[in-house]
Amino acid sequence: MQGADAAAALLVGGRVVAAAAEERFDGVKHSSAFPAGAAQFALDAAGLKASQIDLVAHSFSFGPERDFYVGQSDYYRGLYESALDPDVNRAVAEQHLGVDLTGRFRAVPHHLAHAASAYYPSGYPSALVLVSDGLGERHSATVYAAGGGALETLAEVPAHSSLGLLYGLFTLYLGFAFGDGEYKVMGLAPHGDGSRHVDTILQEWVHLDSDGRYFVPLLLENVGDLDKETYRAALARIEREFGPRRDPADPIEQRHKDIAAALQAVLQRAQLHQLTHYRRETGLTRLCLAGGVALNCSANGVLLRSGLFEEIYVQPASGDDGAALGAAYVAAAEIGERPGPGTGTALGPAYGPQDYERAVAGETGLDVRRAGSDAELATLASRLIADGKVVGWFQGAMEFGPRALGHRSILADPRLDGMRERINSLVKKRESFRPFAPAVTEEAADTLFEIDQEDVPRFAEMLFVGYVRPEYARRLPAVTHVDGSARVQSVARRTSPLFWSLIEEFGGLTGLPVVLNTSFNVAGQPIVRTPDEAVRTFLAAGLDALVLGRLVITRAAAEPADEPAAEPADEAAVEPAAAR
């Protein structure tokens, strides 16, 4: 009910029963609406009514900050009284849920909610926890020491030194949307030379101080209410240094790439600076990450490769959708429940064979083949991909978080040189520089990618960037970024048996058990939730095939693929796991 990425999560007995973002229900990316659809789904999943819920938790607590907000200006007084006041939040929740929440509503501090969302699912007995985002109630980052089920605040970074806001400002400057385009900047960065501007940013706008602290004086340029809401003063300062901001319709120039690279390098350096200090001070060897900055997979990869921590857990839904889950964890702990380790990301709506049949029943011009088993389905789908087809893949429960991990995915052959361009321009309708992720069997991950074997499971949620081994980079052009990196997803047979079988079958056909995996949506659209949405997107996006449960769907008059299928691998082939 504040910010974006509204979501609902439900815990019963300390265990997560369901979680989903509201955007998947109302169709508005990063929806800020009350999560009515997501909440009703969660209740239905548990067979409960709203009246049976013990506590309703909200992932912001502005009550303690009342005097700060109402004392600033008439604008901020009005904002607090109309939107931020916990009593207003409770009234909105009561209106949508249709129940009286007197004594049952909890306003949870935003960063505490984020921290809980990472610490409790990690299963770590103790850990350092870093929450870093644009802004909570008044802070942009908080460091915690976690242990024994409790979280102790070690340090807080004020809003005017926000690395998340800094990254968002440069996202705006580079012509992308604030709060939505940051991942584009991350993808653009490897195309540039950061050394040209890193020193300028560190000297002028980001200062690294002692005791793990950092300051972002650039944000102090925003003084008045309008400046604080639009960041126009800080943007003007960036323009004075680097020239006019890019219009979204303008081409991307080398200077834009260099600035993106410098920004990414500064973020990584500041985060390492902060965490190195608290690792040394606390002696804690495990790290949990949450908050929007934790979705920066490149920075996460740097942390992992640094060896600073023995183990790292990143909350897969690290944005504000995950804060809903964290608020529920905090409320559960408050009433004496001990939240248990996470159960994965498949926490959203699931559908069955009848739903799939209904979704295609009214459509004409489709060929529908029904696989008799999961093994047959994996064989059929892998052959389509090996033949150069772009395939929509809809299976099981929807993922919670921004990543498609084999439940709501678009899959393709990573060996085809033109596949990335084809999907970017014709299917996803997005910028050509943006990379796609490889989904690889857990057994082959350290063979194809520069990943230590013990770290392979950490790549299951596509939250770390690694590097393709040089001998495989030229054979995997569609998932190898310009700098040789890749946002790897490792797929385990025990947790994703069907998706694993598909990739393993593809490996048997090609010698490379890895497929291109991207989210099942087009530009401006949330990832599909229902079978009906999957069919509509399949038809509108120009996909070659759709696998809906055990239905394998193609167009009745499908044209041959423009791109020839890649030749079967004949060198350095990875032996299928089934044969090892």
Side-chain angles (χ1 to χ4, degrees):
M1 291 180 290
Q2 274 109 28
D5 296 313
L10 178 64
L11 269 64
V12 177
R15 301 287 175 171
V16 184
V17 173
E22 185 63 17
E23 68 168 20
R24 310 290 176 90
F25 295 84
D26 65 14
V28 179
K29 284 199 75 174
H30 305 296
S31 177
S32 59
F34 181 87
Q40 189 59 56
F41 150 70
L43 290 169
D44 291 344
L48 296 173
K49 297 179 181 178
S51 59
Q52 296 174 285
I53 299 300
D54 295 309
L55 290 175
V56 172
H58 178 46
S59 62
F60 283 92
S61 180
F62 282 94
E65 311 298 339
R66 178 188 180 280
D67 291 346
F68 172 78
Y69 278 91
V70 302
Q72 284 202 63
S73 65
D74 289 342
Y75 170 78
Y76 282 105
R77 173 186 290 273
L79 179 65
Y80 181 87
E81 293 175 348
S82 64
L84 305 184
D85 188 335
D87 289 338
V88 173
N89 301 154
R90 190 190 77 182
V92 171
E94 289 176 334
Q95 176 187 354
H96 284 278
L97 296 176
V99 295
D100 182 1
L101 295 176
T102 301
R104 294 192 292 153
F105 184 82
R106 298 291 184 272
V108 177
H110 189 60
H111 282 185
L112 178 61
H114 271 308
S117 79
Y119 168 52
Y120 289 120
S122 75
Y124 296 159
S126 62
L128 192 70
V129 182
L130 172 63
V131 174
S132 183
D133 59 8
L135 173 64
E137 290 84 5
R138 287 183 65 182
H139 298 97
S140 62
T142 306
V143 182
Y144 298 87
L151 287 150
E152 175 192 355
T153 301
L154 299 180
E156 295 175 314
V157 179
H160 57 70
S161 287
S162 173
L163 293 177
L165 287 181
L166 176 74
Y167 210 96
L169 278 180
F170 273 90
T171 297
L172 270 176
Y173 172 80
L174 292 170
F176 305 114
F178 184 94
D180 182 52
E182 285 81 358
Y183 59 96
K184 299 181 182 182
V185 176
M186 183 181 71
L188 183 63
H191 290 269
D193 178 3
S195 65
R196 297 181 179 180
H197 302 301
V198 164
D199 289 344
T200 297
I201 296 175
L202 287 173
Q203 290 168 9
E204 299 288 333
W205 299 329
V206 180
H207 299 163
L208 305 184
D209 206 345
S210 60
D211 299 331
R213 292 178 295 171
Y214 57 81
F215 303 93
V216 185
L218 174 65
L219 298 179
L220 294 175
E221 301 273 345
N222 302 310
V223 178
D225 292 349
L226 187 58
D227 287 348
K228 291 177 182 178
E229 292 300 307
T230 64
Y231 311 108
R232 63 178 185 178
L235 281 168
R237 179 68 183 86
I238 296 173
E239 288 191 286
R240 288 197 296 274
E241 181 66 40
F242 291 132
R245 61 191 286 192
R246 174 180 165 267
D247 185 275
D250 290 343
I252 296 173
E253 302 170 358
Q254 187 58 46
R255 71 182 185 93
H256 301 129
K257 299 173 185 178
D258 295 341
I259 293 168
L263 175 67
Q264 181 66 34
V266 168
L267 171 69
Q268 292 166 182
R269 190 177 300 185
Q271 198 169 65
L272 269 174
H273 169 77
Q274 180 183 47
L275 288 171
T276 298
H277 171 77
Y278 288 103
R279 166 67 179 85
R280 183 175 60 248
E281 288 295 305
T282 65
L284 293 167
T285 60
R286 300 178 182 91
L287 174 67
C288 297
L289 296 175
V293 175
L295 291 173
N296 191 301
C297 307
S298 295
N300 295 347
V302 168
L303 276 174
L304 184 65
R305 291 189 297 277
S306 74
L308 188 61
F309 294 91
E310 293 176 5
E311 294 185 87
I312 301 178
Y313 175 82
V314 183
Q315 165 55 240
S318 271
D320 281 358
D321 48 355
L325 176 61
Y329 275 128
V330 172
E334 178 186 317
I335 59 176
E337 295 178 351
R338 179 65 185 270
T343 54
T345 62
L347 299 170
Y351 300 87
Q354 291 183 336
D355 301 305
Y356 302 144
E357 293 287 353
R358 279 194 294 267
V360 299
E363 299 291 342
T364 59
L366 299 179
D367 280 337
V368 181
R369 181 170 178 177
R370 293 163 177 83
S373 66
D374 285 350
E376 182 185 0
L377 181 68
T379 298
L380 292 172
S382 63
R383 287 175 180 169
L384 285 168
I385 296 169
D387 285 341
K389 307 299 185 186
V390 180
V391 178
W393 179 259
F394 187 106
Q395 303 290 339
M398 183 179 72
E399 300 95 337
F400 182 51
R403 310 294 187 216
L405 301 171
H407 295 249
R408 304 289 187 274
S409 291
I410 293 174
L411 308 176
D413 190 339
R415 304 171 302 155
L416 300 183
D417 199 29
M419 184 58 74
R420 177 167 56 191
E421 290 72 22
R422 178 188 172 193
I423 298 177
N424 269 329
S425 62
L426 299 179
V427 179
K428 301 282 281 189
K429 298 176 174 61
R430 65 184 205 176
E431 296 86 357
S432 62
F433 66 82
R434 289 169 57 188
F436 289 110
V440 59
T441 59
E442 200 172 57
E443 296 82 358
D446 62 333
T447 299
L448 299 177
F449 302 95
E450 294 178 353
I451 301 172
D452 291 338
Q453 192 170 36
E454 61 269 23
D455 287 330
V456 167
R458 302 190 210 295
F459 285 77
E461 283 90 20
M462 211 185 285
L463 291 164
F464 297 91
V465 163
Y467 285 87
V468 186
R469 293 196 184 277
E471 61 268 32
Y472 288 103
R474 66 180 183 83
R475 302 181 61 202
L476 297 170
V479 294
T480 301
H481 206 15
V482 65
D483 62 344
S485 66
R487 182 159 45 94
V488 181
Q489 178 195 358
S490 62
V491 181
R493 187 176 193 173
R494 64 189 179 280
T495 56
S496 302
L498 180 56
F499 194 36
W500 182 92
S501 295
L502 163 68
I503 301 170
E504 183 73 359
E505 286 285 334
F506 181 81
L509 293 171
T510 66
L512 294 169
V514 54
V515 298
L516 180 156
N517 179 17
T518 187
S519 56
F520 198 162
N521 66 323
V522 295
Q525 169 195 346
I527 296 173
V528 298
R529 171 174 60 92
T530 69
D532 288 335
E533 291 172 1
V535 171
R536 290 197 298 270
T537 303
F538 157 64
L539 294 171
L543 302 180
D544 298 311
L546 168 63
V547 178
L548 197 63
R550 287 188 180 173
L551 305 184
V552 181
I553 306 160
T554 56
R555 290 173 176 79
E559 294 293 331
D562 293 334
E563 300 88 349
E567 291 297 322
D570 57 2
E571 59 176 323
V574 179
E575 185 181 8
R580 290 202 294 273

